[in-house]
Amino acid sequence: MRLEVSGIFKTYDGKVPALTDVSFSLEENGIFSLIGENGAGKTTLVRILSTQLLPTSGTATIDDVDVVSRPKEIRERIAAVPQEARAVPWMTPIQTITSYLMYRGYNHAEAMEMASDTIRKLGMEEFEHQKNRKLSGGQKRKVLVATVLASEADIIFLDEPSTGLDYISRKDLWNLFSSIKDRKSIILTTHYLEEAEALASRIGILNKGHLVGFGTMEDLRNLSKYPYSIRVSSPDFELEGDSWKVVHLAEGGTQIFTYEDQVYSLVSILISRGLRFTVQEISLNTIFENIIYGGTRNDKTSQ
Amino acid sequence: MIRHRSSQLYASVLVNSLYAMVNYPVTLVNTLLAPLSILAVVTFASHGTLLPVAAEGALIMNMVGSGTAMQGDLSHLKNDMRLQDMVVSSPTGPGIYVAGMAISQIVYSLPTLVLLAIFNILFVHLTAIGALILAADMATIFTFAVSLGFFLSTLSTDIVQSWAFAGILSPLLTTIPPIYYPISYIPLPYRYLAYISPTTYAAQIAQSQAGFAALSVLQTAVYWLILIIITLIFTFIAVKRSRWRDV
């Protein structure tokens, strides 16, 4: 799958800007994750790409087919679960999946067989005949994800599929996405940055309708001044220098951001002072905070 | 893969009627209640004399009610379930989706239709041609109601708005117009107001087939023409102005 997004603008009611000049391209299958605060434009972008919403201007193509002017061709290949989608309460999981597959044009027998197969693969047998309204939040979400995963669509749009789920349910979904990412392209929005970091081969960061970061984790780390982080347990650690930034964390402890070539000397200093510490590449959380808030939110910085 | 249009139609029937009926049989009572309750009231109030007119009128009301009820169902599935967005991002187009939903309304009201058909066989004496004309009349007014329902559903943003639409449409299209009773029962200055509603024309055509209203050939032709033109206008509006893809 090759996705090209070029200069997408979206303004609601002619005045509220939701997306401003968003451009990027993807050239391979896998998981692409869009992250951003509430109202950053994630859902708007996903709705445009999944042909549910027209952009104000700009173009987007999937394998050279324009999503704006040729939606019918795009719809043959895509499937989407919207952010606020709910499994119809009076239906059961098997009925939900079967009817969705029939909307995609499978006959009833084929749809039933595919639905049963998907339910078996996803370990949903124990509740396949219960009414959706009786299922837990995680199970309901799984039913919706199962509908699109059961289909032949090779491009799947999932708008915040794991929001509100407990950790175990989220991990179940992650395993599910990982198991199909070689065969299908998944475009996923999420508020859980660790989810994007764990699953996505490419990540886009939206802020107030602008795409402010895009690429692999490596690319995003390179956007940050300091790609390495040393977490020190001591809350009052201080160290003067120009090659690092010391941040005293609100939740306790100290974080030192630095360059790769400074890590060794800093570690030596910490060992010599008998302090406990961990070294790692900066996480998506840190990158996100650096890009969106300039890395200063809730923390006191000394340098 | 080969995509079956019939499956796409059947999907809506499953979602919107068959699964609901199987999983919640109480919904069948719901569909029976509205036309039968007015039929009963009119019959009792007229000491039985209007039973045949009301039985025929209940068929018209059932078709209009089914069509306009579709806007509530569509709105619910669109705004609360987001099912319509999932269908938009699939190979099913708006025409098939709406046609499927329309068929689902007929399926949903089948028990009522069967019961009303029995009433009509017992109390309304139609010729074979008259029965065919009544069927065409019902199909036309149903198409009008479905078009109106789909158009309104695409405009509604939540179910409360949709309930408001239903609350307005039901009395204006089915309770007040002379469907369950002859138009001559409405005093003259107000009688002309009845002609604002397309259901009046449908009811007049139906009543004339059973001999409850005296329409000339010219009047019948004009009523058909008006009914068809109104239906075509609303179908055109539904097709052209409804929002399948949001803007």
Side-chain angles (χ1 to χ4, degrees), chain A residues 154-165:
Chain A
D154 63 339
I155 304 162
I156 311 278
F157 294 90
L158 300 166
D159 194 0
E160 296 185 22
S162 55
T163 296
L165 298 187

Side-chain angles (χ1 to χ4, degrees), chain A residues 280-291:
Chain A
Q280 59 184 23
E281 290 180 300
I282 56 169
S283 67
L284 187 57
N285 277 300
T286 306
I287 296 166
F288 185 77
E289 288 206 5
N290 282 343
I291 290 175

Side-chain angles (χ1 to χ4, degrees), chain B residues 207-220:
Chain B
Q207 288 174 14
S208 74
Q209 290 307 311
F212 307 137
L215 294 185
S216 67
V217 174
L218 181 64
Q219 273 180 310
T220 308

Side-chain angles (χ1 to χ4, degrees), chain A residues 50 67 76 90 103-104 133, chain B residues 3 23-24 89 92 245:
Chain A
S50 59
V67 300
E76 293 284 325
W90 62 80
Y103 274 123
R104 298 200 68 87
R133 70 179 170 83
Chain B
R3 299 198 195 277
N23 295 340
Y24 292 121
S89 298
T92 293
R245 190 184 204 180

